[in-house]
Amino acid sequence: MNNYRKTKRRDFFKWALAAGFSTYLLDRKSWGQNPPEPATNPADLILHNATIATQDEKRSFAEALAIKDNRFLAVGTEKEVMAYRSDNTQVINLNRRTVIPGLNDSHTHLIRGGLNYNMELRWDGVPSLADALQMLKEQARRTPAPQWVRVIGGWNEFQFAEKRMPTLAEINAVSQDVPVFILNLYNRALLNGAALRALGIDRNTTPPPNSVIEKDSNGNPTGMLIAKPNATILYAAIAQGPVLGLEDQINSSRHYMREMNRLGLTSVIDAGGGGQNYPNDYQVIDRLHKDGLMTVRIAYNLFTQNPGEEKADFERWINIANPAQGDDFYRLNGAGEMLVFSAADFEDFTEPRPDLAAKMETELTGVIQLLAENQWPFRLHATYDESISRFLNVFENVNRAVPFEGMHWILDHAETISDRNLERVKALGGGIAIQHRMAYQGEYFVDRYGAEAANHTPPIKKMLAMDIPVSGGTDGTRVASYNPWVGLYWLVSGKTVGGMSLYPEANRFDRMDALRMYTKATAWFDNQEGNKGSIVPGQLADLAVLSEDYFSVPKERIKHLESVLTIVDGKPVYATEEFSNLSPPPLPVSPNWSPVKYFGGYHNDSKVTLLTANQQQSVTKAIANPPNQHNFNLSSLSRSGSLSRFWGGMACACCY
């Protein structure tokens, strides 16, 4: 059972008291209003013999729960809940496992990620560079032309036992003639020779502003593309790769949602993305919704697509859509995270903070005023306090003419926000969506700004002390991994995925409060307060039964947690181990060469094995004799399909 330890009830009480969780213990008065006549209102499903973290107002634990239709019917003791049992009620013994409300990621990119998931080789959570290179080697052998092998974000060098990046020689040695594109967060990309050729990058290629094509002493490109900090060069390269056909995109999106379910996710707020134009680029998720095939609830924000024409984008969308349109599975949440391109403050901590253009205030004012006049909630990417100060100047000016009252607006990220700007956010009624980006960029941040500055980056405890709404998210799949348990590990341990300690004990979170940021608290951010986020009567029946006890495992185990039974809308959408008989029918992976078929998503010990001694020797030999990665006799920039032609038409970065 993956180190799962069955816990007797008396042992659980002993642990809770010893850990200082006396305020979290069973409190029958806080379980909500169970229906008064169970005999006339029988449950469809009862889960019992469990430790249920309800996330109610008292942060209570319960023993059993009942579901009717798609909502929680009753929550309480075994005796109380079993009163709702009838001859037709399905009863599941959870074997003392821990149950939590379904996790809700308040900032991710599921819609875009789903379209590409089956094409991508995931290094998320892979423990060694040797493993990663072996995966790359195997996938290169099975990937057919003209497809690429892509590793798109969600990892960093510090997670590897070797504590280093792969070299270009290593990548070329294991990949040969198949194009390979490896994105490291949003700061650089590593391309093999075949990918350089496919993109038309040669010694004469000029990069976009604030970007670098690394070249060797002979002036030939090495395969390293660097954002300094403008990531246009990275976005453009990704966009030039082959795409899946419609049916494969549908399959890919379903598998990505199943991967989310495996991690206990039942809801997300999609923050949009470049190349994700509404409504044309939403046809796959629209179809899955219409066919009843969604297993993750999505509230989606609309991300402007046209630099210099942002206001026109939102005017068009306001005319054809309304916030909250849709249903509990699929609904419009508002605007953002990109509102105007001139407000994009790139989050690359390997580079100095960018200065925003002087025209930003004028452009942002027009969009914010339009949104406020039409009561469209909005969110805005905001990394640095210097940028946030200017954004808040705009918000305050618009608010005087068109009050924000009652309109949930959000700052995303806010790693370096100051106390003064927190006060301004509070005064305007805003919320802050934080993500675990520091778990992946903490080492870079400390190197540039120092350990003391990192102690409160972002200052989450201060946000909560001021009663500002705060929620947890991932920003998956490119800037960080989509795995929310990495975020919970980061909040509780105060460490990066590489093990660096970022935060003193005072700035870390107890496990209940950390979990709350991914459950009950997130409901404010998609305007679903009281409808989901807690296991209480009347709320949507979304939950996850965990592989291990989140509240007692060592901190290092938190990032390895998964769900063994995920229920969405009252129905199992993912099940394994002793609950395997409840699993939905298998879904074949397409296309047949997909990395997901062979490796899955976030690293699972059963999917990847360390290199054998012979394999390591083979890789070492290949590295010692790498192919000539520069002698490609590439054509000029005017060649059809050249990446240079593509980014030459881009005025700004547009793909968070």
PDB file of all heavy atoms in Angstrom, residues 104-106 267-270 297-301 324 328 331-333 379 408 410 471 519-529 531-532:
ATOM      1  N   ASN A 104      -8.201  21.900  -5.353  1.00  0.00           N
ATOM      2  CA  ASN A 104      -8.586  22.890  -6.355  1.00  0.00           C
ATOM      3  C   ASN A 104      -7.385  23.780  -6.619  1.00  0.00           C
ATOM      4  O   ASN A 104      -6.977  24.548  -5.750  1.00  0.00           O
ATOM      5  CB  ASN A 104      -9.774  23.712  -5.851  1.00  0.00           C
ATOM      6  CG  ASN A 104     -10.326  24.673  -6.903  1.00  0.00           C
ATOM      7  OD1 ASN A 104      -9.783  24.809  -7.995  1.00  0.00           O
ATOM      8  ND2 ASN A 104     -11.418  25.341  -6.579  1.00  0.00           N
ATOM      9  N   ASP A 105      -6.774  23.659  -7.782  1.00  0.00           N
ATOM     10  CA  ASP A 105      -5.609  24.456  -8.168  1.00  0.00           C
ATOM     11  C   ASP A 105      -6.101  25.799  -8.692  1.00  0.00           C
ATOM     12  O   ASP A 105      -6.757  25.875  -9.730  1.00  0.00           O
ATOM     13  CB  ASP A 105      -4.828  23.705  -9.255  1.00  0.00           C
ATOM     14  CG  ASP A 105      -3.509  24.360  -9.620  1.00  0.00           C
ATOM     15  OD1 ASP A 105      -3.390  25.590  -9.481  1.00  0.00           O
ATOM     16  OD2 ASP A 105      -2.600  23.636 -10.072  1.00  0.00           O
ATOM     17  N   SER A 106      -5.742  26.869  -7.989  1.00  0.00           N
ATOM     18  CA  SER A 106      -6.299  28.180  -8.332  1.00  0.00           C
ATOM     19  C   SER A 106      -5.578  28.879  -9.479  1.00  0.00           C
ATOM     20  O   SER A 106      -6.010  29.950  -9.915  1.00  0.00           O
ATOM     21  CB  SER A 106      -6.290  29.100  -7.102  1.00  0.00           C
ATOM     22  OG  SER A 106      -4.963  29.413  -6.709  1.00  0.00           O
ATOM     23  N   SER A 267     -10.787  20.084  -9.160  1.00  0.00           N
ATOM     24  CA  SER A 267     -11.139  21.384  -9.744  1.00  0.00           C
ATOM     25  C   SER A 267      -9.867  22.163 -10.051  1.00  0.00           C
ATOM     26  O   SER A 267      -8.850  21.990  -9.370  1.00  0.00           O
ATOM     27  CB  SER A 267     -11.982  22.223  -8.775  1.00  0.00           C
ATOM     28  OG  SER A 267     -13.253  21.683  -8.554  1.00  0.00           O
ATOM     29  N   VAL A 268      -9.952  23.017 -11.067  1.00  0.00           N
ATOM     30  CA  VAL A 268      -8.871  23.958 -11.341  1.00  0.00           C
ATOM     31  C   VAL A 268      -9.472  25.269 -11.819  1.00  0.00           C
ATOM     32  O   VAL A 268     -10.606  25.318 -12.290  1.00  0.00           O
ATOM     33  CB  VAL A 268      -7.884  23.448 -12.416  1.00  0.00           C
ATOM     34  CG1 VAL A 268      -7.280  22.108 -12.034  1.00  0.00           C
ATOM     35  CG2 VAL A 268      -8.542  23.370 -13.785  1.00  0.00           C
ATOM     36  N   ILE A 269      -8.666  26.318 -11.710  1.00  0.00           N
ATOM     37  CA  ILE A 269      -8.967  27.582 -12.377  1.00  0.00           C
ATOM     38  C   ILE A 269      -7.904  27.755 -13.458  1.00  0.00           C
ATOM     39  O   ILE A 269      -6.710  27.813 -13.170  1.00  0.00           O
ATOM     40  CB  ILE A 269      -8.956  28.765 -11.409  1.00  0.00           C
ATOM     41  CG1 ILE A 269      -9.881  28.493 -10.220  1.00  0.00           C
ATOM     42  CG2 ILE A 269      -9.376  30.042 -12.127  1.00  0.00           C
ATOM     43  CD1 ILE A 269      -9.876  29.585  -9.164  1.00  0.00           C
ATOM     44  N   ASP A 270      -8.349  27.764 -14.695  1.00  0.00           N
ATOM     45  CA  ASP A 270      -7.448  27.843 -15.840  1.00  0.00           C
ATOM     46  C   ASP A 270      -7.146  29.301 -16.142  1.00  0.00           C
ATOM     47  O   ASP A 270      -8.056  30.097 -16.391  1.00  0.00           O
ATOM     48  CB  ASP A 270      -8.084  27.157 -17.052  1.00  0.00           C
ATOM     49  CG  ASP A 270      -7.123  27.024 -18.205  1.00  0.00           C
ATOM     50  OD1 ASP A 270      -6.893  28.055 -18.885  1.00  0.00           O
ATOM     51  OD2 ASP A 270      -6.594  25.934 -18.427  1.00  0.00           O
ATOM     52  N   ARG A 297     -13.330  19.780 -12.711  1.00  0.00           N
ATOM     53  CA  ARG A 297     -14.116  21.006 -12.904  1.00  0.00           C
ATOM     54  C   ARG A 297     -13.171  22.136 -13.322  1.00  0.00           C
ATOM     55  O   ARG A 297     -12.092  22.293 -12.742  1.00  0.00           O
ATOM     56  CB  ARG A 297     -14.844  21.383 -11.612  1.00  0.00           C
ATOM     57  CG  ARG A 297     -15.764  20.301 -11.083  1.00  0.00           C
ATOM     58  CD  ARG A 297     -16.504  20.788  -9.832  1.00  0.00           C
ATOM     59  NE  ARG A 297     -17.152  19.695  -9.136  1.00  0.00           N
ATOM     60  CZ  ARG A 297     -18.344  19.195  -9.455  1.00  0.00           C
ATOM     61  NH1 ARG A 297     -19.002  19.704 -10.478  1.00  0.00           N
ATOM     62  NH2 ARG A 297     -18.861  18.190  -8.766  1.00  0.00           N
ATOM     63  N   ILE A 298     -13.581  22.923 -14.286  1.00  0.00           N
ATOM     64  CA  ILE A 298     -12.735  24.007 -14.794  1.00  0.00           C
ATOM     65  C   ILE A 298     -13.500  25.328 -14.774  1.00  0.00           C
ATOM     66  O   ILE A 298     -14.563  25.445 -15.373  1.00  0.00           O
ATOM     67  CB  ILE A 298     -12.268  23.733 -16.238  1.00  0.00           C
ATOM     68  CG1 ILE A 298     -11.465  22.430 -16.312  1.00  0.00           C
ATOM     69  CG2 ILE A 298     -11.420  24.893 -16.747  1.00  0.00           C
ATOM     70  CD1 ILE A 298     -11.042  22.055 -17.724  1.00  0.00           C
ATOM     71  N   ALA A 299     -12.938  26.299 -14.080  1.00  0.00           N
ATOM     72  CA  ALA A 299     -13.350  27.693 -14.220  1.00  0.00           C
ATOM     73  C   ALA A 299     -12.247  28.374 -15.026  1.00  0.00           C
ATOM     74  O   ALA A 299     -11.085  28.318 -14.636  1.00  0.00           O
ATOM     75  CB  ALA A 299     -13.508  28.351 -12.854  1.00  0.00           C
ATOM     76  N   TYR A 300     -12.582  28.967 -16.152  1.00  0.00           N
ATOM     77  CA  TYR A 300     -11.540  29.449 -17.057  1.00  0.00           C
ATOM     78  C   TYR A 300     -11.559  30.968 -17.201  1.00  0.00           C
ATOM     79  O   TYR A 300     -12.600  31.608 -17.236  1.00  0.00           O
ATOM     80  CB  TYR A 300     -11.660  28.790 -18.433  1.00  0.00           C
ATOM     81  CG  TYR A 300     -12.983  28.989 -19.146  1.00  0.00           C
ATOM     82  CD1 TYR A 300     -13.144  29.999 -20.090  1.00  0.00           C
ATOM     83  CD2 TYR A 300     -14.071  28.164 -18.874  1.00  0.00           C
ATOM     84  CE1 TYR A 300     -14.347  30.179 -20.750  1.00  0.00           C
ATOM     85  CE2 TYR A 300     -15.285  28.333 -19.527  1.00  0.00           C
ATOM     86  CZ  TYR A 300     -15.423  29.339 -20.458  1.00  0.00           C
ATOM     87  OH  TYR A 300     -16.619  29.530 -21.106  1.00  0.00           O
ATOM     88  N   ASN A 301     -10.354  31.525 -17.259  1.00  0.00           N
ATOM     89  CA  ASN A 301     -10.165  32.954 -17.524  1.00  0.00           C
ATOM     90  C   ASN A 301      -9.718  33.156 -18.961  1.00  0.00           C
ATOM     91  O   ASN A 301      -9.039  32.301 -19.532  1.00  0.00           O
ATOM     92  CB  ASN A 301      -9.131  33.543 -16.571  1.00  0.00           C
ATOM     93  CG  ASN A 301      -9.653  33.679 -15.155  1.00  0.00           C
ATOM     94  OD1 ASN A 301      -9.744  32.706 -14.413  1.00  0.00           O
ATOM     95  ND2 ASN A 301      -9.998  34.895 -14.773  1.00  0.00           N
ATOM     96  N   ALA A 324     -19.445  33.514 -15.114  1.00  0.00           N
ATOM     97  CA  ALA A 324     -20.301  32.523 -14.456  1.00  0.00           C
ATOM     98  C   ALA A 324     -21.186  31.759 -15.427  1.00  0.00           C
ATOM     99  O   ALA A 324     -21.939  30.877 -15.006  1.00  0.00           O
ATOM    100  CB  ALA A 324     -21.143  33.132 -13.341  1.00  0.00           C
ATOM    101  N   ASP A 328     -21.526  23.727 -13.061  1.00  0.00           N
ATOM    102  CA  ASP A 328     -20.547  23.411 -12.021  1.00  0.00           C
ATOM    103  C   ASP A 328     -19.294  22.733 -12.565  1.00  0.00           C
ATOM    104  O   ASP A 328     -18.278  22.683 -11.881  1.00  0.00           O
ATOM    105  CB  ASP A 328     -21.182  22.509 -10.956  1.00  0.00           C
ATOM    106  CG  ASP A 328     -22.172  23.255 -10.073  1.00  0.00           C
ATOM    107  OD1 ASP A 328     -21.980  24.462  -9.868  1.00  0.00           O
ATOM    108  OD2 ASP A 328     -23.133  22.620  -9.592  1.00  0.00           O
ATOM    109  N   ARG A 331     -17.173  26.593 -16.477  1.00  0.00           N
ATOM    110  CA  ARG A 331     -17.774  27.919 -16.384  1.00  0.00           C
ATOM    111  C   ARG A 331     -16.723  28.996 -16.592  1.00  0.00           C
ATOM    112  O   ARG A 331     -15.548  28.814 -16.289  1.00  0.00           O
ATOM    113  CB  ARG A 331     -18.486  28.102 -15.048  1.00  0.00           C
ATOM    114  CG  ARG A 331     -17.598  27.940 -13.839  1.00  0.00           C
ATOM    115  CD  ARG A 331     -18.410  27.730 -12.558  1.00  0.00           C
ATOM    116  NE  ARG A 331     -19.239  28.872 -12.274  1.00  0.00           N
ATOM    117  CZ  ARG A 331     -18.801  29.948 -11.613  1.00  0.00           C
ATOM    118  NH1 ARG A 331     -17.546  30.005 -11.205  1.00  0.00           N
ATOM    119  NH2 ARG A 331     -19.610  30.949 -11.367  1.00  0.00           N
ATOM    120  N   LEU A 332     -17.177  30.122 -17.133  1.00  0.00           N
ATOM    121  CA  LEU A 332     -16.303  31.271 -17.351  1.00  0.00           C
ATOM    122  C   LEU A 332     -16.068  31.995 -16.026  1.00  0.00           C
ATOM    123  O   LEU A 332     -17.018  32.321 -15.310  1.00  0.00           O
ATOM    124  CB  LEU A 332     -16.933  32.215 -18.373  1.00  0.00           C
ATOM    125  CG  LEU A 332     -16.203  33.523 -18.665  1.00  0.00           C
ATOM    126  CD1 LEU A 332     -14.792  33.277 -19.164  1.00  0.00           C
ATOM    127  CD2 LEU A 332     -16.992  34.353 -19.686  1.00  0.00           C
ATOM    128  N   ASN A 333     -14.798  32.255 -15.726  1.00  0.00           N
ATOM    129  CA  ASN A 333     -14.436  32.869 -14.444  1.00  0.00           C
ATOM    130  C   ASN A 333     -14.103  34.346 -14.552  1.00  0.00           C
ATOM    131  O   ASN A 333     -14.076  35.050 -13.545  1.00  0.00           O
ATOM    132  CB  ASN A 333     -13.239  32.120 -13.848  1.00  0.00           C
ATOM    133  CG  ASN A 333     -13.077  32.349 -12.364  1.00  0.00           C
ATOM    134  OD1 ASN A 333     -14.036  32.219 -11.608  1.00  0.00           O
ATOM    135  ND2 ASN A 333     -11.875  32.697 -11.936  1.00  0.00           N
ATOM    136  N   ARG A 379      -7.928  38.723 -13.234  1.00  0.00           N
ATOM    137  CA  ARG A 379      -6.682  38.355 -12.558  1.00  0.00           C
ATOM    138  C   ARG A 379      -5.525  38.895 -13.378  1.00  0.00           C
ATOM    139  O   ARG A 379      -5.625  39.036 -14.596  1.00  0.00           O
ATOM    140  CB  ARG A 379      -6.577  36.839 -12.385  1.00  0.00           C
ATOM    141  CG  ARG A 379      -6.474  36.063 -13.665  1.00  0.00           C
ATOM    142  CD  ARG A 379      -6.638  34.551 -13.445  1.00  0.00           C
ATOM    143  NE  ARG A 379      -5.821  34.053 -12.370  1.00  0.00           N
ATOM    144  CZ  ARG A 379      -6.084  32.948 -11.674  1.00  0.00           C
ATOM    145  NH1 ARG A 379      -7.150  32.218 -11.972  1.00  0.00           N
ATOM    146  NH2 ARG A 379      -5.290  32.546 -10.707  1.00  0.00           N
ATOM    147  N   HIS A 408     -14.657  39.920  -7.510  1.00  0.00           N
ATOM    148  CA  HIS A 408     -13.456  39.211  -7.080  1.00  0.00           C
ATOM    149  C   HIS A 408     -12.337  39.412  -8.101  1.00  0.00           C
ATOM    150  O   HIS A 408     -12.399  38.878  -9.208  1.00  0.00           O
ATOM    151  CB  HIS A 408     -13.753  37.721  -6.913  1.00  0.00           C
ATOM    152  CG  HIS A 408     -14.633  37.411  -5.753  1.00  0.00           C
ATOM    153  ND1 HIS A 408     -14.793  36.138  -5.242  1.00  0.00           N
ATOM    154  CD2 HIS A 408     -15.408  38.203  -4.979  1.00  0.00           C
ATOM    155  CE1 HIS A 408     -15.623  36.163  -4.222  1.00  0.00           C
ATOM    156  NE2 HIS A 408     -16.022  37.414  -4.054  1.00  0.00           N
ATOM    157  N   ILE A 410      -7.950  39.390  -8.704  1.00  0.00           N
ATOM    158  CA  ILE A 410      -6.847  38.574  -8.197  1.00  0.00           C
ATOM    159  C   ILE A 410      -5.504  39.084  -8.718  1.00  0.00           C
ATOM    160  O   ILE A 410      -5.365  39.395  -9.901  1.00  0.00           O
ATOM    161  CB  ILE A 410      -7.016  37.105  -8.658  1.00  0.00           C
ATOM    162  CG1 ILE A 410      -8.374  36.544  -8.238  1.00  0.00           C
ATOM    163  CG2 ILE A 410      -5.879  36.225  -8.138  1.00  0.00           C
ATOM    164  CD1 ILE A 410      -8.756  35.272  -9.002  1.00  0.00           C
ATOM    165  N   SER A 471      -5.017  31.701  -1.996  1.00  0.00           N
ATOM    166  CA  SER A 471      -5.229  30.332  -2.451  1.00  0.00           C
ATOM    167  C   SER A 471      -3.939  29.763  -2.997  1.00  0.00           C
ATOM    168  O   SER A 471      -3.014  30.493  -3.354  1.00  0.00           O
ATOM    169  CB  SER A 471      -6.309  30.285  -3.537  1.00  0.00           C
ATOM    170  OG  SER A 471      -5.871  30.997  -4.687  1.00  0.00           O
ATOM    171  N   THR A 519      -8.109  23.975  -0.935  1.00  0.00           N
ATOM    172  CA  THR A 519      -9.468  23.424  -0.871  1.00  0.00           C
ATOM    173  C   THR A 519     -10.476  24.550  -0.609  1.00  0.00           C
ATOM    174  O   THR A 519     -10.870  25.247  -1.533  1.00  0.00           O
ATOM    175  CB  THR A 519      -9.556  22.319   0.197  1.00  0.00           C
ATOM    176  OG1 THR A 519      -9.051  22.810   1.468  1.00  0.00           O
ATOM    177  CG2 THR A 519      -8.745  21.099  -0.207  1.00  0.00           C
ATOM    178  N   LYS A 520     -10.839  24.738   0.640  1.00  0.00           N
ATOM    179  CA  LYS A 520     -11.883  25.711   0.974  1.00  0.00           C
ATOM    180  C   LYS A 520     -11.542  27.126   0.512  1.00  0.00           C
ATOM    181  O   LYS A 520     -12.394  27.831  -0.045  1.00  0.00           O
ATOM    182  CB  LYS A 520     -12.138  25.720   2.485  1.00  0.00           C
ATOM    183  CG  LYS A 520     -13.217  26.693   2.925  1.00  0.00           C
ATOM    184  CD  LYS A 520     -13.440  26.643   4.424  1.00  0.00           C
ATOM    185  CE  LYS A 520     -14.414  27.720   4.872  1.00  0.00           C
ATOM    186  NZ  LYS A 520     -15.732  27.609   4.236  1.00  0.00           N
ATOM    187  N   ALA A 521     -10.293  27.561   0.708  1.00  0.00           N
ATOM    188  CA  ALA A 521      -9.929  28.944   0.390  1.00  0.00           C
ATOM    189  C   ALA A 521     -10.038  29.239  -1.093  1.00  0.00           C
ATOM    190  O   ALA A 521     -10.336  30.374  -1.492  1.00  0.00           O
ATOM    191  CB  ALA A 521      -8.516  29.243   0.886  1.00  0.00           C
ATOM    192  N   THR A 522      -9.789  28.243  -1.933  1.00  0.00           N
ATOM    193  CA  THR A 522      -9.787  28.475  -3.385  1.00  0.00           C
ATOM    194  C   THR A 522     -11.179  28.787  -3.915  1.00  0.00           C
ATOM    195  O   THR A 522     -11.316  29.394  -4.990  1.00  0.00           O
ATOM    196  CB  THR A 522      -9.199  27.251  -4.106  1.00  0.00           C
ATOM    197  OG1 THR A 522      -7.884  27.011  -3.589  1.00  0.00           O
ATOM    198  CG2 THR A 522      -9.089  27.475  -5.599  1.00  0.00           C
ATOM    199  N   ALA A 523     -12.221  28.400  -3.172  1.00  0.00           N
ATOM    200  CA  ALA A 523     -13.586  28.643  -3.652  1.00  0.00           C
ATOM    201  C   ALA A 523     -13.867  30.136  -3.850  1.00  0.00           C
ATOM    202  O   ALA A 523     -14.694  30.506  -4.697  1.00  0.00           O
ATOM    203  CB  ALA A 523     -14.595  28.034  -2.687  1.00  0.00           C
ATOM    204  N   TRP A 524     -13.192  31.007  -3.101  1.00  0.00           N
ATOM    205  CA  TRP A 524     -13.379  32.453  -3.293  1.00  0.00           C
ATOM    206  C   TRP A 524     -12.922  32.863  -4.692  1.00  0.00           C
ATOM    207  O   TRP A 524     -13.490  33.771  -5.311  1.00  0.00           O
ATOM    208  CB  TRP A 524     -12.580  33.228  -2.239  1.00  0.00           C
ATOM    209  CG  TRP A 524     -12.770  34.720  -2.274  1.00  0.00           C
ATOM    210  CD1 TRP A 524     -13.675  35.456  -1.572  1.00  0.00           C
ATOM    211  CD2 TRP A 524     -12.012  35.681  -3.055  1.00  0.00           C
ATOM    212  NE1 TRP A 524     -13.541  36.800  -1.852  1.00  0.00           N
ATOM    213  CE2 TRP A 524     -12.536  36.960  -2.762  1.00  0.00           C
ATOM    214  CE3 TRP A 524     -10.973  35.575  -3.959  1.00  0.00           C
ATOM    215  CZ2 TRP A 524     -12.019  38.126  -3.346  1.00  0.00           C
ATOM    216  CZ3 TRP A 524     -10.471  36.731  -4.550  1.00  0.00           C
ATOM    217  CH2 TRP A 524     -10.987  37.988  -4.242  1.00  0.00           C
ATOM    218  N   PHE A 525     -11.900  32.189  -5.201  1.00  0.00           N
ATOM    219  CA  PHE A 525     -11.246  32.607  -6.432  1.00  0.00           C
ATOM    220  C   PHE A 525     -12.025  32.211  -7.680  1.00  0.00           C
ATOM    221  O   PHE A 525     -11.777  32.758  -8.756  1.00  0.00           O
ATOM    222  CB  PHE A 525      -9.817  32.058  -6.472  1.00  0.00           C
ATOM    223  CG  PHE A 525      -8.930  32.733  -5.456  1.00  0.00           C
ATOM    224  CD1 PHE A 525      -9.016  32.412  -4.105  1.00  0.00           C
ATOM    225  CD2 PHE A 525      -8.033  33.706  -5.836  1.00  0.00           C
ATOM    226  CE1 PHE A 525      -8.227  33.047  -3.159  1.00  0.00           C
ATOM    227  CE2 PHE A 525      -7.231  34.352  -4.901  1.00  0.00           C
ATOM    228  CZ  PHE A 525      -7.339  34.030  -3.556  1.00  0.00           C
ATOM    229  N   ASP A 526     -12.936  31.249  -7.555  1.00  0.00           N
ATOM    230  CA  ASP A 526     -13.820  30.955  -8.683  1.00  0.00           C
ATOM    231  C   ASP A 526     -15.282  31.175  -8.306  1.00  0.00           C
ATOM    232  O   ASP A 526     -16.183  30.609  -8.917  1.00  0.00           O
ATOM    233  CB  ASP A 526     -13.577  29.559  -9.255  1.00  0.00           C
ATOM    234  CG  ASP A 526     -13.700  28.444  -8.232  1.00  0.00           C
ATOM    235  OD1 ASP A 526     -14.044  28.727  -7.076  1.00  0.00           O
ATOM    236  OD2 ASP A 526     -13.453  27.279  -8.591  1.00  0.00           O
ATOM    237  N   ASN A 527     -15.480  32.023  -7.299  1.00  0.00           N
ATOM    238  CA  ASN A 527     -16.827  32.438  -6.898  1.00  0.00           C
ATOM    239  C   ASN A 527     -17.726  31.234  -6.598  1.00  0.00           C
ATOM    240  O   ASN A 527     -18.895  31.189  -6.980  1.00  0.00           O
ATOM    241  CB  ASN A 527     -17.468  33.319  -7.984  1.00  0.00           C
ATOM    242  CG  ASN A 527     -16.782  34.661  -8.129  1.00  0.00           C
ATOM    243  OD1 ASN A 527     -17.078  35.601  -7.406  1.00  0.00           O
ATOM    244  ND2 ASN A 527     -15.831  34.742  -9.057  1.00  0.00           N
ATOM    245  N   GLN A 528     -17.156  30.265  -5.874  1.00  0.00           N
ATOM    246  CA  GLN A 528     -17.875  29.039  -5.547  1.00  0.00           C
ATOM    247  C   GLN A 528     -17.954  28.814  -4.035  1.00  0.00           C
ATOM    248  O   GLN A 528     -18.092  27.674  -3.576  1.00  0.00           O
ATOM    249  CB  GLN A 528     -17.190  27.853  -6.220  1.00  0.00           C
ATOM    250  CG  GLN A 528     -17.325  27.845  -7.732  1.00  0.00           C
ATOM    251  CD  GLN A 528     -18.731  27.500  -8.169  1.00  0.00           C
ATOM    252  OE1 GLN A 528     -19.182  26.365  -8.069  1.00  0.00           O
ATOM    253  NE2 GLN A 528     -19.462  28.500  -8.644  1.00  0.00           N
ATOM    254  N   GLU A 529     -17.864  29.873  -3.267  1.00  0.00           N
ATOM    255  CA  GLU A 529     -17.936  29.746  -1.807  1.00  0.00           C
ATOM    256  C   GLU A 529     -19.250  29.086  -1.400  1.00  0.00           C
ATOM    257  O   GLU A 529     -20.326  29.472  -1.844  1.00  0.00           O
ATOM    258  CB  GLU A 529     -17.832  31.120  -1.159  1.00  0.00           C
ATOM    259  CG  GLU A 529     -16.490  31.798  -1.402  1.00  0.00           C
ATOM    260  CD  GLU A 529     -16.565  33.295  -1.177  1.00  0.00           C
ATOM    261  OE1 GLU A 529     -17.209  33.978  -2.005  1.00  0.00           O
ATOM    262  OE2 GLU A 529     -16.013  33.766  -0.186  1.00  0.00           O
ATOM    263  N   ASN A 531     -20.198  26.211  -2.244  1.00  0.00           N
ATOM    264  CA  ASN A 531     -20.602  25.190  -3.215  1.00  0.00           C
ATOM    265  C   ASN A 531     -19.603  24.044  -3.293  1.00  0.00           C
ATOM    266  O   ASN A 531     -19.974  22.919  -3.630  1.00  0.00           O
ATOM    267  CB  ASN A 531     -20.770  25.815  -4.605  1.00  0.00           C
ATOM    268  CG  ASN A 531     -21.522  24.914  -5.567  1.00  0.00           C
ATOM    269  OD1 ASN A 531     -22.480  24.228  -5.189  1.00  0.00           O
ATOM    270  ND2 ASN A 531     -21.099  24.896  -6.824  1.00  0.00           N
ATOM    271  N   LYS A 532     -18.333  24.326  -2.989  1.00  0.00           N
ATOM    272  CA  LYS A 532     -17.315  23.279  -2.993  1.00  0.00           C
ATOM    273  C   LYS A 532     -16.143  23.718  -2.124  1.00  0.00           C
ATOM    274  O   LYS A 532     -16.055  24.875  -1.710  1.00  0.00           O
ATOM    275  CB  LYS A 532     -16.852  22.962  -4.406  1.00  0.00           C
ATOM    276  CG  LYS A 532     -16.119  24.090  -5.125  1.00  0.00           C
ATOM    277  CD  LYS A 532     -15.722  23.655  -6.537  1.00  0.00           C
ATOM    278  CE  LYS A 532     -14.995  24.777  -7.270  1.00  0.00           C
ATOM    279  NZ  LYS A 532     -14.637  24.414  -8.647  1.00  0.00           N
TER     280      LYS A 532
END
